[in-house]
Amino acid sequence: VSVATYAQTQVIAHRGYHAIKNSYDNTISSLINAQKLKVYGSEVDIHETSDGVLIAIHGMRHRDIKNVQKATFDEIRSLPLENGETVPTLEEYLIQAKKSKKTKLIIEIKDQLTPQLETDIVQKTVDLVAKYNLQEEVEYIAFRPFVCWEIARLAPKGTKIAYLNGDYSPQYCKGMGCAGIDYKYSRLQKKPNWIKQAHELGMYVNAWT
Ligand code: MG
């Protein structure tokens, strides 16, 4: 029984559960849909606008805006998504996350234009999570080692952080401040020993997508 329990796979909705009518990725509706399924977590991508607002959106592009990091929040907000919702702020996401604490929020902090902006987005994210007292319900992921390093430096001790880019060993990621690795499944198929090494180091292993 203990082995079966240990092996139970946990599911994280990627950009929320949006593959459903009237939803769209990284929206409040996609988070609500994931919460209704009671999955382990719901992932969300975060960028910072040119005027310092943290928003939930996957890519740099939004409608005719080529780079959301160079646009203001009002410019982005004035253009609705395909399903009619507007691009949410991280704060709006946290308010919804607080309504259903069973589903964790997995916050992916996206690469920013400079290291200074990466420190800034990490600090603002950590502060907002603390404002809503969601430290226990939030985990972090990032593609940049520097972003992982900054989360480990600025978030409370014991915060779960996993590195996404697939190019470093579990031991190196642990030194970066990560509690886990979160690699593309095909990378883990090529490096099955990294799963074993991570577990031996007390780290968790996630695979995308
Ligand atoms: Mg993501």
Side-chain angles (χ1 to χ4, degrees), residues 14-15 43 45 58 108 110 141:
H14 182 231
R15 311 183 202 168
E43 186 252 8
D45 304 295
H58 178 257
E108 179 182 346
K110 288 290 188 186
I141 50 176

Side-chain angles (χ1 to χ4, degrees), residues 75-92:
E75 284 167 346
I76 295 159
R77 190 77 150 190
S78 68
L79 303 169
L81 295 158
E82 276 173 34
N83 73 335
E85 282 183 80
T86 50
V87 173
T89 62
L90 174 61
E91 186 153 20
E92 288 164 344

Side-chain angles (χ1 to χ4, degrees), residues 88-101:
T89 62
L90 174 61
E91 186 153 20
E92 288 164 344
Y93 240 83
L94 294 174
I95 290 166
Q96 180 56 42
K98 206 165 169 71
K99 291 178 185 167
S100 180
K101 287 182 159 188

Side-chain angles (χ1 to χ4, degrees), residues 143-158:
F143 276 95
R144 273 224 172 118
F146 180 68
V147 174
C148 291
W149 177 259
E150 287 297 80
I151 300 165
R153 184 172 73 84
L154 297 166
K157 273 228 170 333

Side-chain angles (χ1 to χ4, degrees), residues 14-15 26 43-46 57-58 106-110 141 143 164 208-209:
H14 182 231
R15 311 183 202 168
N26 286 305
E43 186 252 8
V44 62
D45 304 295
I46 302 298
I57 193 165
H58 178 257
I106 316 300
I107 299 178
E108 179 182 346
I109 300 186
K110 288 290 188 186
I141 50 176
F143 276 95
L164 293 167
W208 51 270
T209 38

Side-chain angles (χ1 to χ4, degrees), residues 24-59:
Y24 197 82
D25 65 77
N26 286 305
T27 57
I28 299 298
S29 72
S30 74
L31 174 57
I32 292 170
N33 294 336
Q35 289 171 330
K36 282 182 186 161
L37 288 180
K38 297 189 169 67
V39 284
Y40 172 82
S42 186
E43 186 252 8
V44 62
D45 304 295
I46 302 298
H47 289 265
E48 181 167 357
T49 65
S50 66
D51 52 341
V53 180
L54 305 198
I55 55 168
I57 193 165
H58 178 257

